């Protein structure tokens, strides 16, 4: 009996290893054959230690036997880990055409023995569970604990067997017998779980009715809790069984649909053509039945909904045209953005009123919708505080109009360019060197705004210096003449030419002609060029900073003082 238990523990150890332990990579050596031989020798040494422990296990006390059994399980885990590493290594070597045929033959025998141990383990475990479960109360706590342990160990063994078959197939071993046996066992298990879903569901309904009659009966509540948890635990094992059947190539779509009824998670394995086809078929049957009973009513409601929507949509377009025409003919000095906002806002309000009216006509209550919009508005407002700040700044810009589209402005702490577009959240600036900058409105409104093109006229401020030896009146006459001849300089306001300051190296004149805002830079550049050329022709110098240094010879008395 104890020897059989140790072999069963070994099978469970293999299962736990294949399910829980990650596949570790094998360190590479110079020769693939040497590496495989080393792992095989290591496994054989581990098996020898296991056999020695088994031979002496009957000679110790019961307490020591429990400890040795635990140690024996650890030995099995190490041995199975080695053979698993060897299998994975041989799979890689075989893919490269480097596998050792002799080692493959030995590994095939070892895995075949492991498969037999797993089969014996699962059958023995089933018999022991049936015997222990029969001695307990069907819906008792002890029976439920036995059931959980049985499912957990069975899940491990079945998963290990599927993994073993996967390794055998990768190594090119024959798996037809093992695969057929495993599919048969898993199919029977899936049928059992599928029947349990309906059976436990009916039992829960019966217990629920009894609890309503006798609400103070704690035993009924305990039974209901046990069967409910039993269904949840069985559902996990059911899902694993279906996954294992699918891995083995068995069409388990029917069981996957049953899993969906249990509220299982939808995975890529579940969502295949067969499952979706079955679900869609049942939905279509129910939909057709509902449509036969209520189809005419819903057709009328949909028609009414669409008709009301298009009526209010046409009304929205009409309102948009009327407001656009009214604002264009109005004397109000509104910015283009303000006009667009007013027009679009009114049009959208008309559409929203139409949608709410249509929903009310088809029997949908508006109170929950309006309440939901209020809650959603509060949440969105709290989450978008910065955006709302930009929105408020955009409204202030619309109201006070410090700039409009097309203006040359300096905003946001030194950004200079032309306003390309603007909305309630941001302003787009096109710089002089053709860069596009998007600036939040809150940064613009919270800083100094310089609008260069807000006025139609602009003064050009220029400063020109002449030498101290040059004729002041001649220079002044030349500057006035250049301003009078330039076609872009306006006669009104009258340009100013005045002697401004006596600098260290020059006598400076200020030259301030008035021009149209669009002509500012043309006049600036033209006047600067003409002044230089005219001063050169008329012999008027444009001095630059200079300093005279004088050297005086030292006298004999000064030299004596220095000494």
């Amino acid at each position: 009996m104890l020897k059989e238990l140790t072999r069963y523990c070994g099978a469970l150890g293999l299962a736990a290893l294949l399910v829980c332990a990650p596949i570790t990579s094998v360190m590479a050596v110079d020769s693939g054959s040497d590496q495989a031989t080393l792992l095989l020798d290591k496994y054989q040494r581990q098996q020898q230690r296991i056999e020695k422990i088994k031979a002496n296990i009957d000679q110790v006390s019961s307490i020591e036997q429990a400890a040795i059994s635990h140690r024996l399980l650890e030995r099995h885990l190490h041995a199975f880990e080695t053979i698993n590493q060897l299998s994975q290594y041989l799979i890689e070597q075989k893919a490269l055409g480097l596998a050792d045929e002799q080692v493959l033959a030995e590994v095939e025998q070892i895995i075949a023995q492991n498969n037999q141990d797993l089969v014996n383990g699962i059958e023995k475990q089933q018999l022991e569970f049936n015997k222990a479960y029969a001695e307990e109360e069907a819906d008792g706590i002890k029976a439920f604990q036995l059931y959980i342990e049985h499912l957990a160990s069975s899940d491990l063994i079945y998963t290990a067997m599927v993994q073993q078959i996967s390794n055998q197939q990768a190594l090119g071993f024959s798996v037809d017998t093992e695969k057929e046996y495993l599919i048969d066992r898993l199919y029977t298990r899936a049928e059992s779980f599928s029947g349990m879903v309906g059976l436990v569901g009916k039992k829960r309904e019966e217990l629920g009715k009894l609890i309503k009659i006798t609400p103070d009966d704690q035993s009924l509540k305990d039974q209901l809790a046990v069967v409910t948890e039993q269904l949840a635990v069985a559902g996990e094992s059911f899902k694993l069984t279906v996954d294992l059947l699918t891995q083995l190539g068995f069409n388990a779509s029917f069981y996957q649909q049953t899993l969906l009824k249990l509220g299982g998670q939808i995975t890529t394995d579940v969502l295949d053509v067969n499952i979706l086809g079955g679900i869609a078929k049942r939905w279509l049957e129910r939909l057709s039945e509902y449509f036969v009973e209520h189809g005419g009513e819903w057709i009328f409601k949909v028609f009414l909904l669409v008709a009301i929507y298009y009526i209010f949509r046409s009304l929205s377009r009409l309102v948009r045209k009327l407001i656009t025409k009214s604002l264009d003919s109005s004397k109000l000095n509104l910015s283009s953005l303000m006009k667009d906002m007013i027009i679009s806002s009114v049009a959208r309000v008309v559409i929203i009123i139409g949608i709410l009216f249509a929903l009310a006509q088809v029997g949908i209550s508006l109170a929950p919708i309006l309440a939901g919009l209020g809650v959603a508005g509060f949440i969105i407002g709290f989450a978008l505080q910065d955006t709302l700040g930009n929105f408020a700044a955009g409204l202030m810009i619309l109201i006070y109009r410090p700039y409009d589209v097309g203006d040359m402005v300096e905003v946001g702490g030194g950004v200079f360019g032309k306003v390309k577009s603007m909305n309630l959240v941001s302003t787009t600036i096109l710089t002089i060197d053709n860069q596009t900058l998007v600036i939040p409105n809150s940064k613009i409104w919270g800083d100094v705004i310089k609008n260069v093109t807000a006025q139609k006229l602009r003064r050009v401020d220029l400063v020109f210096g002449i030498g101290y030896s040059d004729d002041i009146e001649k220079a002044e006459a030349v500057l006035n003449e250049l301003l009078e001849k330039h076609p872009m300089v306006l006669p009104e306001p009258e340009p100013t030419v005045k002697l401004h300051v006596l600098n260290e190296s020059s006598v400076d004149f200020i030259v301030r002609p008035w021009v149209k805002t669009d002509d500012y830079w043309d006049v600036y550049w033209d006047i600067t060029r003409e002044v230089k050329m005219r001063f050169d022709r008329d012999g008027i110098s444009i001095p630059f900073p200079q300093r005279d240094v004088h050297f005086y010879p030292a006298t004999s008395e000064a030299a004596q003082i220095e000494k």
Side-chain angles (χ1 to χ4, degrees), residues 30 436 503:
D30 296 335
T436 300
N503 268 331

Side-chain angles (χ1 to χ4, degrees), residues 59-127:
Q59 302 175 9
V60 297
S61 64
S62 58
I63 297 178
E64 292 175 328
Q65 285 181 356
I68 291 179
S69 297
H70 179 74
R71 180 56 179 164
L72 187 61
L73 176 59
E74 292 179 349
R75 291 284 188 181
H76 275 293
L77 288 175
H78 293 311
F80 289 131
E81 181 180 0
T82 301
I83 200 62
N84 190 49
Q85 289 180 356
L86 178 58
S87 298
Q88 296 300 319
Y89 179 77
L90 290 176
I91 291 172
E92 296 175 0
Q93 292 296 305
K94 187 172 183 180
L96 299 174
L98 303 174
D100 190 319
E101 295 298 331
Q102 182 179 354
V103 176
L104 284 174
E106 294 185 36
V107 171
E108 184 176 11
Q109 295 179 0
I110 293 173
I111 293 179
Q113 183 59 48
N114 288 339
N115 284 333
Q116 187 60 46
D117 290 342
L118 289 171
V119 170
N120 296 337
I122 195 67
E123 292 178 351
K124 180 177 179 59
Q125 183 214 21
Q126 187 66 49
L127 293 174

Side-chain angles (χ1 to χ4, degrees), residues 166-433:
S166 176
N167 288 340
Q168 287 178 286
Q169 287 178 326
L171 290 171
F173 301 157
S174 176
V175 295
D176 293 339
T177 303
E178 293 86 349
K179 189 174 181 180
E180 181 179 358
Y181 170 83
L182 190 53
I183 289 177
D184 183 64
R185 292 299 299 259
L186 290 174
Y187 173 77
T188 303
R189 194 173 192 234
E191 283 290 311
S192 174
F193 284 132
S194 183
M196 182 183 296
V197 171
L199 184 63
V200 174
K202 292 180 179 179
K203 195 167 186 178
R204 290 175 61 188
E205 292 179 2
E206 294 175 356
L207 289 172
K209 294 177 181 179
L210 292 174
I211 290 174
K212 289 181 179 179
I213 298 174
T214 57
D216 297 332
D217 193 338
Q218 186 61 38
S219 62
L220 293 177
K221 295 180 180 179
D222 293 341
Q223 292 181 35
L224 179 61
V226 169
V227 296
T228 301
E229 188 64 24
Q230 182 180 4
L231 184 62
V233 173
E236 293 297 324
S237 293
F238 190 11
K239 183 178 183 302
L240 176 63
T241 302
V242 172
D243 291 340
L244 295 178
L245 281 171
T246 305
Q247 293 178 33
L248 293 173
F250 185 82
N251 184 6
S253 59
F254 172 77
Y255 302 119
Q256 290 170 334
Q257 295 174 23
T258 306
L259 278 174
L260 291 180
K261 291 181 181 179
L262 286 174
Q265 294 181 349
I266 300 178
T267 63
T268 54
D269 294 333
V270 174
L271 291 180
D272 58 25
V273 177
N274 294 327
I275 304 169
L276 292 178
I279 296 173
K281 183 178 179 180
R282 290 197 300 273
W283 284 356
L284 288 175
E285 291 175 354
R286 296 175 183 176
L287 183 61
S288 60
E289 294 175 359
Y290 181 83
F291 189 76
V292 170
E293 297 179 3
H294 306 281
E297 179 184 353
W298 275 105
I299 290 176
F300 175 75
K301 288 183 177 181
V302 171
F303 174 78
L304 182 62
L305 183 66
V306 173
I308 293 175
Y309 170 75
Y310 276 100
I311 290 173
F312 275 87
R313 184 179 178 184
S314 301
L315 182 61
S316 172
R317 293 176 178 175
L318 178 61
V319 170
R320 179 185 289 271
K321 292 180 180 179
L322 292 175
I323 295 178
T324 302
K325 186 176 181 180
S326 175
L327 291 177
D328 290 340
S329 60
S330 174
K331 296 181 179 180
L332 296 174
N333 188 17
L334 299 176
S335 64
S336 58
L337 180 59
M338 177 66 82
K339 292 180 181 179
D340 292 340
M341 188 190 73
I342 294 174
I343 293 170
S344 60
S345 297
V346 174
R348 289 170 183 171
V349 168
V350 173
I351 290 291
I352 292 173
I353 293 175
I355 293 174
L356 293 177
F357 180 75
L359 293 176
Q361 293 302 312
V362 297
I364 298 177
S365 177
L366 299 181
I369 297 177
L370 296 176
L373 290 176
V375 174
F378 174 78
I379 296 173
I380 294 174
F382 183 78
L384 303 178
Q385 297 182 41
D386 294 339
T387 303
L388 292 178
N390 292 325
F391 184 84
L395 286 178
M396 298 301 292
I397 292 173
L398 287 177
I399 295 173
Y400 290 99
R401 297 189 61 198
Y403 57 83
D404 204 344
V405 175
D407 288 349
M408 294 293 295
V409 296
E410 183 177 343
V411 296
V415 177
F416 182 77
K418 186 177 182 179
V419 179
K420 184 178 180 181
S421 63
M422 51 190 296
N423 52 51
L424 290 175
V425 178
S426 63
T427 298
T428 302
I429 302 293
L430 185 64
T431 62
I432 300 299
D433 56 349

